[in-house]
Amino acid sequence: EPEVTQTPSHQVTQMGQEVILRCVPISNHLYFYWYRQILGQKVEFLVSFYNNEISEKSEIFDDQFSVERPDGSNFTLKIRSTKLEDSAMYFCASRASGGAPNYNEQFFGPGTRLTVL
Amino acid sequence: DQQVKQNSPSLSVQEGRISILNCDYTNSMFDYFLWYKKYPAEGPTFLISISSIKDKNEDGRFTVFLNKSAKHLSLHIVPSQPGDSAVYFCAAKGYGGSQGNLIFGKGTKLSVKP
């Protein structure tokens, strides 16, 4: 069964450093998302991406964040200068196009645990 | 601003009995609802969903009920099994304009005791 994969599983970084979190969405999916979950809190939407551009972003997704689809398979989230409060689990998700029977369902990767020291 | 609320942080059920997980929402523009199951150190796994035009959807042991007038949905698991022990998230998708980003509740931790 196709699945969303994410690397690394755990990233430790110093405050102020740049990090890039990587995701490989399901191959025939067209919509891509990043979410995060701070320990003990709910999963929060960060950004959605479609047709090679950001389609929607939350207030969390400020100028320190960027996303990119550098090739046909990868989808990355970059945090330019990490802060302590960026420590969280970051989940990538993807979903199929409107013509697919399950187009409302987002499939999540296993997550990257980001720890900012 | 909690648009999706799961008011029970935890639920404990005996194996073989029914588990009922509840979710309330405030935004009448939500048009699709999903339940995800999450084990520690894993990503949310899609479980079952329901469109706002329906009031029930069933898939094996899992049934989701939607009461639009009450802005309430529930997930029934019957019979419950120890392997169902996980955190269950209710999520809602907005209608039109958005690219389908999901708004999650805080989750309910289900423990099924043998």
Side-chain angles (χ1 to χ4, degrees):
Chain A
E1 188 175 324
E3 58 182 18
V4 177
T5 59
Q6 289 184 244
T7 54
S9 56
H10 191 188
Q11 175 88 48
V12 181
T13 189
Q14 294 290 326
M15 189 171 59
Q17 295 295 304
E18 175 184 287
V19 293
I20 298 176
L21 309 183
R22 292 183 165 79
C23 168
V24 179
I26 294 173
S27 63
N28 62 345
H29 284 186
L30 298 180
Y31 296 87
F32 313 114
Y33 306 84
W34 284 101
Y35 293 82
R36 78 172 186 190
Q37 185 182 26
I38 294 172
L39 187 64
Q41 298 186 24
K42 60 182 176 180
V43 177
E44 299 175 289
F45 166 73
L46 293 179
V47 66
S48 59
F49 192 86
Y50 172 71
N51 202 25
N52 277 324
E53 60 183 20
I54 290 174
S55 46
E56 196 163 2
K57 58 184 180 180
S58 72
E59 58 195 26
I60 302 168
F61 194 88
D62 61 22
D63 292 344
Q64 293 300 314
F65 291 87
S66 62
V67 289
E68 195 178 31
R69 188 156 163 81
D71 52 44
S73 59
N74 290 283
F75 179 50
T76 62
L77 174 69
K78 182 193 290 186
I79 308 175
R80 218 177 322 275
S81 177
T82 50
K83 303 188 284 283
L84 295 176
E85 53 264 38
D86 293 328
S87 295
M89 282 290 289
Y90 287 81
F91 296 106
C92 173
S94 68
R95 72 176 175 96
S97 66
N102 60 347
Y103 73 95
N104 278 306
E105 296 157 15
Q106 293 184 25
F107 295 86
F108 284 75
T112 293
R113 179 174 297 284
L114 177 64
T115 302
V116 182
L117 302 175
Chain B
D1 176 28
Q2 285 191 72
Q3 296 190 67
V4 178
K5 301 178 192 177
Q6 293 178 259
N7 292 319
S8 299
S10 63
L11 175 68
S12 183
V13 169
Q14 205 67 35
E15 180 180 7
R17 305 294 290 269
I18 186 171
S19 295
I20 301 176
L21 297 106
N22 293 302
C23 178
D24 297 294
Y25 61 95
T26 57
N27 189 340
S28 57
M29 294 301 287
F30 290 143
D31 69 341
Y32 206 81
F33 302 90
L34 305 92
W35 283 94
Y36 285 85
K37 175 180 175 180
K38 186 179 181 303
Y39 294 114
E42 293 185 14
T45 301
F46 170 74
L47 199 55
I48 192 170
S49 61
I50 188 166
S51 164
S52 62
I53 62 173
K54 298 190 174 182
D55 55 20
K56 178 182 174 181
N57 187 28
E58 193 171 352
D59 183 4
R61 296 186 298 115
F62 303 93
T63 303
V64 55
F65 295 92
L66 175 62
N67 181 335
K68 280 187 70 177
S69 60
K71 294 193 178 72
H72 177 84
L73 63 154
S74 61
L75 173 67
H76 292 210
I77 306 173
V78 55
S80 302
Q81 299 172 355
D84 295 329
S85 297
V87 178
Y88 288 78
F89 291 98
C90 170
K93 184 183 83 66
Y95 170 78
S98 83
Q99 290 297 324
N101 56 288
L102 299 177
I103 298 171
F104 283 83
K106 288 188 174 181
T108 297
K109 184 176 182 180
L110 174 66
S111 300
V112 180
K113 300 189 185 309

